[in-house]
Amino acid sequence: MSNLQLQQSTKAFSVGTVGDLTDFAGKAFIKDTLQTTGVEVSLGTLAAGEAVPFRHHHRENEEVYLLISGEGVLTLDGEDIHVASGSIVRVSPAVSRQLRNTGTSPLLHVCIQAKAGSLDHYTMNDGVLEED
Ligand code: ZN
């Protein structure tokens, strides 16, 4: 099981590490360690043939799954979607989901979770360029 270690934290930012991603195994959520307030990010691995042991959906949060390595099937409302390194999948909150590794090597993925619709109030000008 991998642990996320907090390396530095100020009011302005938090820095953590799970170590070398090629050695990562298990599951790590960033929210509590890095004190995020608007997004949750998790890293997870599944061994060959292993599946997340439950299906789930969300009340308000959409998720984006980014496959780092390996391959598998993401079952979305009963539909099997093949995913492999480089796949990026957005899932709406109410959709039932379950990820399983159908390959022969470990599957490493990142799951980003944020409140659906929370970007609606942003314009494309949320980022503010700074000039010195
Ligand atoms: Zn979820």
Side-chain angles (χ1 to χ4, degrees):
M1 194 64 166
S2 296
N3 291 314
L4 172 60
Q5 300 294 322
L6 182 64
Q7 296 179 302
Q8 184 178 357
S9 182
T10 71
K11 283 190 173 186
F13 60 88
S14 303
V15 181
T17 183
V18 293
D20 187 337
L21 283 177
T22 59
D23 295 329
F24 181 84
K27 188 81 174 174
F29 291 88
I30 72 162
K31 182 176 74 65
D32 292 340
T33 301
L34 300 186
Q35 300 294 304
T36 60
T37 63
V39 64
E40 172 67 290
V41 178
S42 65
L43 289 84
T45 57
L46 294 170
E50 184 182 15
V52 174
F54 54 86
R55 287 181 292 115
H56 78 288
H57 66 276
H58 286 263
R59 293 179 185 90
E60 297 186 76
N61 294 346
E62 69 180 357
E63 290 182 321
V64 174
Y65 289 81
L66 169 58
L67 269 287
I68 304 298
S69 61
E71 64 178 307
V73 169
L74 186 59
T75 302
L76 302 173
D77 276 348
E79 182 176 352
D80 288 342
I81 307 296
H82 180 260
V83 291
S85 179
S87 294
I88 304 172
V89 183
R90 179 197 62 82
V91 184
S92 294
V95 173
S96 175
R97 69 209 66 184
Q98 185 174 27
L99 180 63
R100 67 180 184 273
N101 184 344
T102 58
T104 57
S105 62
L107 181 158
L108 172 62
H109 74 284
V110 173
C111 184
I112 301 161
Q113 182 181 145
K115 187 172 182 178
S118 64
L119 298 182
D120 289 352
H121 71 280
Y122 286 103
T123 66
M124 293 304 291
N125 298 316
D126 185 62
V128 179
L129 292 178
E130 298 178 10
E131 297 180 30
D132 292 328

